[in-house]
Amino acid sequence: MLNQGLGSWIHKRRVKSHGHTAVIDGAVSVGYEVLAERIDRLANALEGQGIGRGDRVAYLGNNHPAFLETLFACGSIGAIFVPVNTRLAPREVAFALQDSGTSLLVNARQLESLAQAATAIAPVASRLVVEDDHEVVGSYETAIRAASDEHRDVPVSLDDTAIILYTSGTTGNPKGAILTHGNLTWNSLNVLVDYDVTSSQVALMIAPMFHVASLGMGALPTLLKGGTLVLQDRFEPAAVLAAIERHGITSLSGVPTTYQMLAEHPDWDTTDLSSIRMLTCGGSAVPMRVLEAYEARGLSFSGGYGMTETSPGATSLQPEHSRTKAGSAGLPHFFTGIRIVDAGGQDLPDHAVGEILVQGPNVIPGYWNRDDATAGSFQDGTWFKSGDMGYVDEQGFLFIADRLKDMIISGGENIYPAQVEQAIMELPSVASVAVIGVPDQKWGEAVHAVIVPVEGQPVTRDDIAAHLDGKLARYKIPRTVEVVADLPRTASGKIRKTDLRESHRKRTLA
């Protein structure tokens, strides 16, 4: 066996899981044999388009079998898969294409205008378009049907790059995290060990697979084990509840907002949820009212902590600890370790707050074309510096104390204030700005901008929204804007965001 990476997975499952359903997309069910043949055909079609080892192939689309086919086809020939967030603005998509050096873009028909706008800025050599309707034959399907179904075993090692996944930038532009075949394989093994995934797993994929949590914690472990993925291209509570009952869903992953919206839907009380064995929640802790709503239906949550750079799992909290260790992110995954260190990199005792470091075969080797960022992200060569603050108790359970970086998590999306601030500062009427996350009952956090306007030039939230429309993804645009005379700063001139958050908290309580 020459291919030790992801590209060999479905080919092996063709025999091991013969007769089993791999993917369900609407009314279409795809068995492992058919999925394996389509991957082989697509791999040969990509080679026919000039794609080879190390070349980058981007995918712009929501959850669809073509996402998985493109991922595994790239792995089959040693190419690199670049999933792109569909909620980004054209300029942001173009950056990912250009920075990665994408040669071929596969995009969904419903995102054709976004693809055209992005490739007008960052041209690619070729594109394949996936139709919404399975009965309609577009260029993607034509390429598959015209290609050979021969499976070829090409050399791919666990150290080879499988995916470049762009993370929100702390200084304006995002960084491309290099996820190797080994990173994704070991992360999947962590999931199989710590979450008891079985071959009878029927996982409902409601979070987009271009996010590492959905892909790494849901899709890949399920397929590795020979289970079934049920795809939904968007989150609609009624459709999710109907799918749970129709398909006998056994596992579901989401963020607190997802689960809250399901529990608040009129169909919640009448939906048969008896098939569910596993609920996982990421992004932030599950609110007590949501936890209680699910416990009333005999369900409990698994939680955890992770990031793109850990593929993404670092820790997991099992359901039996959801009450006794409330607020904890759990224990390190089986093949992963964590440390808590002070500013000098020295280990801290239990309950002392410091930076969280992560080590393991699921930790990325670095960032694409960013040696500077890679060098500054590791301690002692192998311990990844998360930039998050936390502590462990005497039993080794991790608790997140704060974010060293100012990242905002809104509805499961990571938002870095620096990028939003830079875009806002393009407005001539803005003298200075600070963007912070503020509590939001629905989304966990919402983006809040505190602005000092240029004297004599008033600025409103509508002005900000109009300026950012098309430049940033909509979820990054501030929901609220506060105009002030000055911003609190340290002696060195840095904005004291802690003071801004506290000031907002006091006003909210007043």
Side-chain angles (χ1 to χ4, degrees):
M1 183 184 74
L2 298 177
N3 193 326
Q4 300 175 348
L6 273 61
S8 66
W9 287 15
I10 307 303
H11 178 69
K12 293 175 182 176
R13 278 285 160 213
R14 184 201 300 257
V15 177
K16 288 180 175 289
S17 299
H18 181 81
H20 292 195
T21 300
V23 180
I24 298 173
D25 181 46
V28 177
S29 294
V30 182
Y32 275 97
E33 307 96 298
V34 173
L35 181 59
E37 179 184 329
R38 287 179 60 83
I39 290 168
D40 285 338
R41 287 182 179 275
L42 180 57
N44 290 320
L46 292 178
E47 284 201 320
Q49 297 257 14
I51 300 299
R53 182 179 180 83
D55 291 330
R56 276 75 70 199
V57 176
Y59 187 92
L60 180 66
N62 294 316
N63 289 352
H64 188 278
F67 180 102
L68 297 167
E69 291 166 355
T70 306
L71 165 63
F72 288 111
C74 286
S76 296
I77 59 176
I80 299 171
F81 183 63
V82 185
V84 182
N85 190 328
T86 62
R87 299 178 67 185
L88 298 180
R91 190 169 68 178
E92 295 172 305
V93 174
F95 175 82
L97 299 179
Q98 192 166 41
D99 186 73
S100 64
T102 288
S103 300
L104 186 148
L105 171 65
V106 180
N107 68 269
R109 173 67 71 185
Q110 69 265 34
L111 294 171
E112 178 67 7
S113 59
L114 176 58
Q116 289 183 0
T119 53
I121 302 170
V124 296
S126 53
R127 284 203 294 130
L128 294 175
V129 180
V130 182
E131 300 294 343
D132 304 340
D133 190 337
H134 290 276
E135 300 301 319
V136 178
V137 178
S139 61
Y140 175 86
E141 195 64 33
T142 298
I144 288 179
R145 295 184 182 187
S148 165
D149 64 355
E150 177 189 6
H151 176 77
R152 292 182 301 102
D153 187 19
V154 303
V156 176
S157 78
L158 291 179
D159 292 331
D160 288 340
T161 301
I163 295 177
I164 300 173
L165 193 54
Y166 281 85
T167 64
S168 298
T170 57
T171 57
N173 288 325
K175 301 188 294 291
I178 297 172
L179 279 71
T180 67
H181 290 269
N183 292 154
L184 294 164
T185 298
W186 281 102
N187 180 81
S188 294
L189 291 175
N190 271 337
V191 174
L192 298 188
V193 171
D194 287 336
Y195 292 106
D196 294 329
V197 177
T198 69
S199 59
S200 62
Q201 176 115 320
V202 183
L204 182 59
M205 307 304 297
I206 56 175
M209 291 186 291
F210 56 70
H211 280 318
V212 71
S214 181
L215 180 63
M217 305 301 286
L220 291 181
T222 299
L223 293 174
L224 178 60
K225 194 64 178 177
T228 301
L229 299 179
V230 179
L231 306 184
Q232 292 197 341
D233 64 356
R234 64 181 61 86
F235 174 67
E236 294 178 354
V240 170
L241 293 171
I244 291 172
E245 191 167 283
R246 182 186 316 118
H247 298 293
I249 298 299
T250 63
S251 68
L252 187 66
S253 297
V255 295
T257 302
T258 302
Y259 291 113
Q260 179 181 337
M261 293 174 71
L262 290 175
E264 292 174 349
H265 193 273
D267 295 341
W268 169 257
D269 291 331
T270 58
T271 299
D272 182 1
L273 306 176
S274 60
S275 62
I276 295 178
R277 300 195 303 260
M278 183 171 71
L279 295 173
T280 57
C281 186
S284 57
V286 181
M288 191 57 65
R289 66 180 184 281
V290 177
L291 186 67
E292 291 172 348
Y294 282 77
E295 287 179 341
R297 298 295 306 272
L299 300 170
S300 55
F301 288 94
S302 296
Y305 165 75
M307 63 209 78
T308 300
E309 290 85 350
T310 57
S311 305
T315 68
S316 65
L317 181 72
Q318 299 304 309
E320 59 266 29
H321 298 300
S322 60
R323 287 281 185 172
T324 58
K325 295 292 184 179
S328 171
L331 296 167
H333 275 298
F334 198 84
F335 297 106
T336 303
I338 63 170
R339 291 167 59 193
I340 307 296
V341 300
D342 61 19
Q346 299 300 307
D347 291 313
L348 290 169
D350 295 344
H351 295 281
V353 174
E355 184 175 8
I356 304 165
L357 306 188
V358 186
Q359 183 191 61
N362 56 310
V363 174
I364 67 168
Y367 298 100
W368 183 258
N369 290 334
R370 290 291 303 274
D371 291 343
D372 57 335
T374 299
S377 297
F378 290 88
Q379 177 175 311
D380 303 328
T382 60
W383 287 91
F384 181 77
K385 299 163 66 175
S386 72
D388 293 330
M389 305 293 283
Y391 66 90
V392 294
D393 66 12
E394 57 281 351
Q395 294 176 303
F397 283 81
L398 176 67
F399 290 79
I400 309 300
D402 199 356
R403 286 188 280 276
L404 183 60
K405 303 168 186 174
D406 290 318
M407 186 176 73
I408 300 166
I409 302 179
S410 182
E413 298 281 4
N414 293 347
I415 303 166
Y416 280 94
Q419 184 188 25
V420 183
E421 290 165 352
Q422 285 185 1
I424 291 175
M425 283 301 295
E426 294 173 358
L427 271 175
S429 57
V430 175
S432 58
V433 59
V435 169
I436 60 173
V438 297
D440 183 271
Q441 187 171 6
K442 183 176 183 180
W443 303 111
E445 285 186 301
V447 181
H448 178 74
V450 185
I451 290 174
V452 178
V454 172
E455 188 174 355
Q457 297 186 36
V459 61
T460 67
R461 194 267 171 187
D462 289 342
D463 296 331
I464 300 297
H467 172 70
L468 297 181
D469 187 30
K471 291 184 173 66
L472 297 180
R474 292 187 180 276
Y475 64 83
K476 299 178 183 178
I477 297 176
R479 292 180 178 273
T480 52
V481 171
E482 176 185 359
V483 178
V484 297
D486 202 2
L487 294 170
R489 297 180 183 272
T490 65
S492 62
K494 294 182 179 179
I495 297 172
R496 299 176 62 92
K497 290 192 174 181
T498 302
D499 291 0
L500 293 177
R501 295 189 191 97
E502 180 63 18
S503 176
H504 184 276
R505 187 187 69 83
K506 289 180 178 178
R507 286 199 308 274
T508 302
L509 294 177

